[in-house]
Amino acid sequence: DIDKLAESDAHWSITMGEKEGLKIEKKGSAEVAQVEADIDKLKNEAAQPGAMLTTIEKMLAQEKTYRLQADFVATPRYCVGILQVLHAAGDWKGINEHIMLLSKRRAQLKQAISAMVKEAITYIDRAPNLEVKTELIETLNTVTSGKIFVEVEKARLTRALAKIKEEAGKIDEAASIMQEVAVETYGALSKHEKLFFIEEQVRLCLDKGDYIRAQILSRKINAKSFDEIVKAEKKAAIEAAKKAGEDVSQMDLDKDMTEEERAKEEKKKNASVEHAEGYFEATDPTIPPVPELKLRYYHLMIRFYSHSNEYLEICRCYQNIMECEGVKEDPSKWTPVMKKVVWYVALAANEPMQQSLLHQISKDAKLADLPLHKQLMKQFTTKEIIHWDTLAAAFGSEMAAEADIFGGDDGEKRKKDLRQRVIEHNLLVIGEYYSRVTLQRLGELLCLPADETEKHLSDLVTSKKVSAKIDRPGGVVDFKTKAQGADWLLNQWVGKIDKLLNTLDKANHLIHKEAMAHKVSLEA
């Protein structure tokens, strides 16, 4: 493989003879040193006043010679040397022009393009102003577009350009730039960096207000990936320490593994075939660590679910945050998160998943340090009527402290939703204890007028959370009436028809039996 040869300690080139055909020739250290010495000499010439253009023409001619020989040792060095000469002269326009020129030359080697791109990336932070910096990034983006061998650089350049647009207040442009890259298909990019890139895509979509695209992008992230990356990095560190000759115990790695993961690891060790894991570029050091990315992911999902007030999903996100590294060990961090978990599960509409979470949270040992929130969970898990006025008075200070939940534009709506949850809870409790009750008495129990009582009850019946019939003229509610649909009525009709036919068959059989016993003819 020519690519691997170029990266090895020995340097190689390809020469084409008239009769010999294609031949791979080893380029020794002396020849490489000679090429580098020639480039350094040309650089020194370019430093002389008025000699830059002449020197660059010489370097371009040499680059052409080596390129046509498919020499992927000398060609990249001359390409990089041209950029270094232009950078030393401060000719930023020339840098952009020569990057485009060299990348589009006939039979240009991908090693040369890759070397140019990597060299030019180092100039980005040295650009004299934002305009020059943006122009250089856009040039590099154009060159790297559609080329697999520089896909890592393409992803990082896209992120840098989007950051510039975002800092300029152009959120829509930044989001559009980031969405152009399907980073999940980039094989050379590490999982760590891919996660950060997708999170940035989601964040910009949320900032832009494009919640549908944010949801689509967020589904590319599997929450289990964060733990898998941490374990893989830990395992790699242990393997590196072993190779270095250090005495490393596997206990630190094994204690975090479940039985299922241990079984998979054992199966992998015993497998007859080892599968290559592939090559990944080193993760950009400016990217936050994996635990921080995990927290960031759940906060982004909370922003997304808060837009549509999906309280149960928000609650589950906060539950996952409580299990994150750096949060679960620190009471000062998990205490405010636990409070939010309690409030959001109370705000969630009554359904099987909500009831399961409600009882699970009420048994959490951490609630022992939060007596008021424990009391709130107890009220919602006990089949007793909750008086809204009493609850609002008891938890008013706690609700005021939760500005993220009950403050801002959605604060009043969420207070109304909490009141709605209390009314739903009360109606479900009354449905358990009463078979028939008057609307007036029901309104007294709920502390609501008759019209509002009927409205809330009708909503619960429509959503099939309560089985009830309202006799409006009589002013009576029947809670023991089962909600029957069309399928139930059809089944009942089929059952009755079967019973009727069976009865007719039995009667016919008995008539014939009596006729035979008494020797009576049944013919008319």
Side-chain angles (χ1 to χ4, degrees):
D1 189 348
I2 293 173
D3 298 338
K4 291 181 180 177
L5 291 174
E7 295 171 0
S8 63
D9 294 332
H11 301 284
W12 302 76
S13 65
I14 300 176
T15 60
M16 180 72 76
E18 293 180 1
K19 296 181 180 179
E20 295 174 343
L22 189 65
K23 177 185 174 183
I24 297 180
E25 181 182 306
K26 184 175 180 180
K27 189 179 286 293
S29 299
E31 291 174 305
V32 174
Q34 182 61 45
V35 169
E36 290 177 348
D38 292 343
I39 293 171
D40 290 338
K41 184 180 178 182
L42 289 169
K43 285 181 188 177
N44 292 331
E45 286 182 18
Q48 302 300 321
M52 187 186 74
L53 293 177
T54 308
T55 307
I56 287 178
E57 285 178 6
K58 291 180 183 178
M59 295 179 82
L60 285 171
Q62 288 281 46
E63 182 272 337
K64 180 180 178 181
T65 303
Y66 285 117
R67 171 166 47 82
L68 295 178
Q69 292 176 2
D71 188 333
F72 45 77
V73 174
T75 309
R77 283 170 168 76
Y78 270 97
C79 290
V80 170
I82 291 168
L83 296 185
Q84 288 173 345
V85 168
L86 291 165
H87 179 258
D91 187 358
W92 292 93
K93 185 177 179 182
I95 290 174
N96 291 324
E97 289 173 354
H98 281 81
I99 289 172
M100 294 298 294
L101 173 69
L102 290 167
S103 65
K104 289 181 178 179
R105 281 195 152 187
R106 180 170 66 89
Q108 184 59 278
L109 303 174
K110 61 183 181 181
Q111 290 87 350
I113 296 174
S114 179
M116 272 196 307
V117 169
K118 287 177 180 177
E119 177 67 20
I121 284 174
T122 62
Y123 301 158
I124 292 173
D125 292 333
R126 306 178 204 169
N129 54 57
L130 186 61
E131 185 181 352
V132 171
K133 184 177 181 179
T134 305
E135 189 178 351
L136 178 58
I137 292 173
E138 287 174 348
T139 301
L140 291 171
N141 253 334
T142 304
V143 170
T144 56
S145 182
K147 296 179 176 68
I148 295 175
F149 53 91
V150 283
E151 61 185 8
V152 174
E153 287 77 14
K154 169 67 175 174
R156 291 173 182 173
L157 287 165
T158 302
R159 190 154 47 84
L161 184 59
K163 186 178 179 182
I164 290 170
K165 298 293 184 184
E166 185 185 3
E167 288 173 352
K170 300 175 181 177
I171 302 296
D172 291 359
E173 284 187 39
S176 300
I177 289 166
M178 289 291 282
Q179 287 164 28
E180 290 174 1
V181 177
V183 75
E184 65 276 5
T185 64
Y186 285 15
L189 208 61
S190 66
K191 288 184 180 179
H192 187 169
E193 198 160 347
K194 284 181 186 178
L195 285 173
F196 178 70
F197 196 97
I198 296 171
E199 283 185 6
E200 283 293 288
Q201 289 178 322
V202 174
R203 180 182 65 80
L204 287 169
C205 284
L206 291 174
D207 292 343
K208 181 183 174 182
D210 189 352
Y211 291 94
I212 294 174
R213 193 172 294 276
Q215 184 182 27
I216 293 169
L217 290 167
S218 68
R219 287 176 179 170
K220 294 179 181 179
I221 297 177
N222 185 350
K224 293 180 181 178
S225 301
F226 298 102
D227 296 330
E228 289 172 1
I229 293 170
V230 169
K231 287 177 182 176
E233 288 178 352
K234 193 172 183 180
K235 186 177 179 181
I238 290 174
E239 291 297 329
K242 278 185 174 181
K243 286 180 182 178
E246 298 178 16
D247 184 16
V248 180
S249 173
Q250 282 286 333
M251 292 302 295
D252 291 339
L253 182 63
D254 292 339
K255 71 180 181 180
D256 296 330
M257 296 173 67
T258 63
E259 291 296 330
E260 185 179 352
E261 288 169 344
R262 286 195 186 95
K264 284 183 180 178
E265 193 68 23
E266 191 65 29
K267 187 176 179 181
K268 192 184 291 184
K269 285 179 183 177
N270 297 331
S272 57
V273 179
E274 287 189 12
H275 298 279
E277 293 184 1
Y279 169 75
F280 299 103
E281 286 281 347
T283 304
D284 188 347
T286 60
I287 291 176
V290 177
E292 192 174 328
L293 287 184
K294 188 176 181 181
L295 276 171
R296 193 166 175 265
Y297 166 71
Y298 285 120
H299 283 298
L300 287 171
M301 295 313 298
I302 287 167
R303 278 184 63 190
F304 169 73
Y305 290 125
S306 296
H307 172 70
S308 52
N309 287 320
E310 295 183 46
Y311 300 127
L312 193 61
E313 293 300 329
I314 297 172
C315 172
R316 293 172 68 181
C317 286
Y318 276 117
Q319 276 190 307
N320 287 317
I321 287 174
M322 286 188 64
E323 297 302 319
C324 288
E325 183 181 338
V327 176
K328 59 184 177 181
E329 305 92 354
D330 190 351
S332 63
K333 291 183 179 178
W334 64 251
T335 299
V337 177
M338 188 67 195
K339 290 180 179 180
K340 287 180 171 60
V341 168
V342 170
W343 282 115
Y344 278 114
V345 77
L347 282 165
N350 187 286
E351 58 179 73
M353 178 62 77
Q354 187 263 354
Q355 286 296 305
S356 175
L357 275 178
L358 188 67
H359 286 84
Q360 178 188 336
I361 293 165
S362 65
K363 294 174 184 176
D364 197 318
K366 292 184 173 68
L367 277 180
D369 299 329
L370 303 168
L372 274 176
H373 294 80
K374 186 174 183 179
Q375 182 187 345
L376 181 65
M377 288 291 94
K378 185 178 179 181
Q379 288 186 348
F380 275 99
T381 51
T382 306
K383 292 184 179 180
E384 294 180 1
I385 290 175
I386 303 172
H387 294 287
W388 169 249
D389 294 337
T390 307
L391 184 139
F395 296 94
S397 58
E398 286 293 332
M399 290 168 69
E402 294 290 349
D404 294 343
I405 303 174
F406 298 105
D409 298 334
D410 295 330
E412 289 301 317
K413 182 186 181 303
R414 287 175 177 175
K415 287 178 183 177
K416 289 178 182 177
D417 287 343
L418 182 60
R419 184 169 178 265
Q420 177 70 21
R421 298 292 91 80
V422 170
I423 293 169
E424 284 182 8
H425 169 81
N426 291 342
L427 281 169
L428 290 168
V429 169
I430 292 167
E432 290 288 329
Y433 289 108
Y434 283 83
S435 58
R436 287 170 63 85
V437 64
T438 62
L439 272 172
Q440 182 181 355
R441 176 58 180 158
L442 186 61
E444 291 173 2
L445 292 170
L446 297 175
C447 301
L448 294 172
D451 292 344
E452 196 172 344
T453 301
E454 186 177 337
K455 178 185 175 300
H456 287 297
L457 181 58
S458 299
D459 290 341
L460 285 180
V461 172
T462 305
S463 59
K464 297 184 179 179
K465 293 178 182 177
V466 171
S467 298
K469 280 188 177 180
I470 304 173
D471 180 4
R472 296 187 74 185
V476 176
V477 179
D478 184 358
F479 279 106
K480 293 303 177 184
T481 303
K482 298 293 181 185
Q484 283 102 12
D487 292 341
W488 181 85
L489 290 173
L490 185 60
N491 289 335
Q492 289 292 312
W493 180 80
V494 170
K496 288 177 181 179
I497 292 296
D498 285 343
K499 187 176 180 182
L500 176 62
L501 292 174
N502 288 334
T503 304
L504 287 174
D505 285 342
K506 188 175 180 181
N508 187 37
H509 173 71
L510 290 173
I511 290 169
H512 278 83
K513 183 180 177 182
E514 289 296 321
M516 290 175 67
H518 296 286
K519 298 180 180 180
V520 176
S521 176
L522 295 176
E523 295 178 1

